[in-house]
């Protein structure tokens, strides 16, 4: 499809230390009228890591999410750095958030969540047989580590306890991978 939008000027109105920026672009709409379009974008990819150990226990983080004003149960997730490969970002995320390491990585693909307002690609990985050492959280993170079977994770998704969209999608990508394996 040919892009019916024309960008007149990209206007960054906010950016932060994690590589996210908010733009309010001047555009010409598909109906050929001037307008504006808000876009949230990231300098690098977002990363979701489904981490499991040798006992088939899956690690999730329970943490408070400021924007939604509620706790959230999620897989390891991290903003990727600019010029960092998705796999390198996944390895860094596993180490920083869980204190985990492994040499057993399976890519599960990528997704674009809410592409109507966000330009943030999220890559999902399965980190198998992880070993926990010590995490390297930054001062904006506080979470509790919980372990579940894959079936229990599915139950928590179906009950609405796990709602973070990229995590839910990564779970179903893993289930699909396991069916095909």
């Amino acid at each position: 499809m040919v892009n019916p939008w024309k960008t007149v000027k990209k206007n960054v109105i906010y950016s932060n230390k994690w590589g996210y920026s908010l733009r309010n672009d001047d555009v010409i709409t598909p109906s050929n009228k001037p307008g504006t379009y808000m876009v949230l974008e990231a300098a690098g990819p977002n990363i979701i890591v489904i981490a499991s150990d040798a006992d088939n226990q899956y690690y999730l983080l329970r943490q408070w999410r400021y924007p939604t004003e509620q706790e959230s149960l999620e897989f390891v997730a991290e903003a990727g750095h600019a010029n960092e490969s998705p796999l390198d970002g996944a390895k860094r995320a596993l180490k920083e958030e869980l204190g985990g390491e492994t040499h057993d990585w399976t890519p599960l693909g990528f997704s674009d969540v809410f592409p109507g307002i966000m330009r943030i690609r999220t890559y999902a990985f399965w980190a198998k047989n992880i070993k926990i050492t010590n995490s390297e959280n930054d001062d904006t993170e506080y979470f509790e580590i919980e372990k579940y079977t894959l079936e229990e994770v599915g139950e928590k998704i179906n009950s609405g306890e796990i709602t973070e969209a990229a995590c839910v999608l990564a779970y179903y990508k893993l289930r699909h991978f396991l069916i095909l394996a």
Side-chain angles (χ1 to χ4, degrees):
M1 170 183 278
V2 175
N3 180 359
W5 293 85
K6 295 187 180 35
T7 304
V8 176
K9 184 179 179 194
K10 292 183 178 182
N11 304 302
V12 176
I13 57 175
Y14 175 77
S15 61
N16 66 21
K17 67 180 181 179
W18 294 285
Y20 292 101
S21 62
L22 182 62
R23 297 190 339 240
N24 194 34
D25 295 352
D26 298 321
V27 299
I28 303 297
T29 68
S31 61
N32 208 30
K33 294 181 181 170
T36 59
Y37 206 112
M38 182 188 71
V39 178
L40 177 64
E41 65 182 347
N46 276 359
I47 308 295
I48 299 289
V49 178
I50 301 176
S52 64
D53 61 23
D55 296 325
N56 289 317
Q57 291 291 298
Y58 289 78
Y59 290 70
L60 289 97
L61 308 176
R62 186 176 299 276
Q63 59 191 313
W64 187 262
R65 287 300 190 184
Y66 182 85
T68 58
E69 299 181 354
Q70 62 188 14
E71 74 176 31
S72 183
L73 186 60
E74 305 170 7
F75 293 118
V76 169
E78 185 76 24
H81 296 162
N83 302 317
E84 177 180 55
S85 75
L87 180 56
D88 286 343
K91 290 176 180 179
R92 180 179 50 76
L94 183 64
K95 179 68 174 164
E96 288 179 5
E97 302 234 337
L98 257 186
E101 295 178 344
T102 187
H103 296 289
D104 198 352
W105 291 91
T106 301
L108 298 172
F110 62 86
S111 59
D112 298 314
V113 180
F114 300 116
I117 60 168
M118 293 192 298
R119 186 176 174 185
I120 302 173
R121 180 152 284 176
T122 301
Y123 289 83
F125 292 89
W126 181 20
K128 297 172 282 209
N129 301 310
I130 67 166
K131 303 277 190 252
I132 302 295
T133 55
N134 58 335
S135 63
E136 302 168 359
N137 301 341
D138 68 32
D139 62 350
T140 64
E141 296 179 308
Y142 171 80
F143 48 77
E144 298 167 356
I145 298 171
E146 301 180 11
K147 295 191 285 187
Y148 300 97
T149 65
L150 192 58
E151 290 70 28
E152 290 170 325
V153 173
E155 291 167 6
K156 290 185 177 303
I157 288 171
N158 290 332
S159 73
E161 186 175 352
I162 297 174
T163 60
E164 199 282 328
C167 291
V168 172
L169 186 56
Y171 166 83
Y172 283 108
K173 284 180 172 278
L174 175 59
R175 293 301 297 228
H176 183 74
F177 174 82
L178 292 172
I179 290 169
L180 297 177

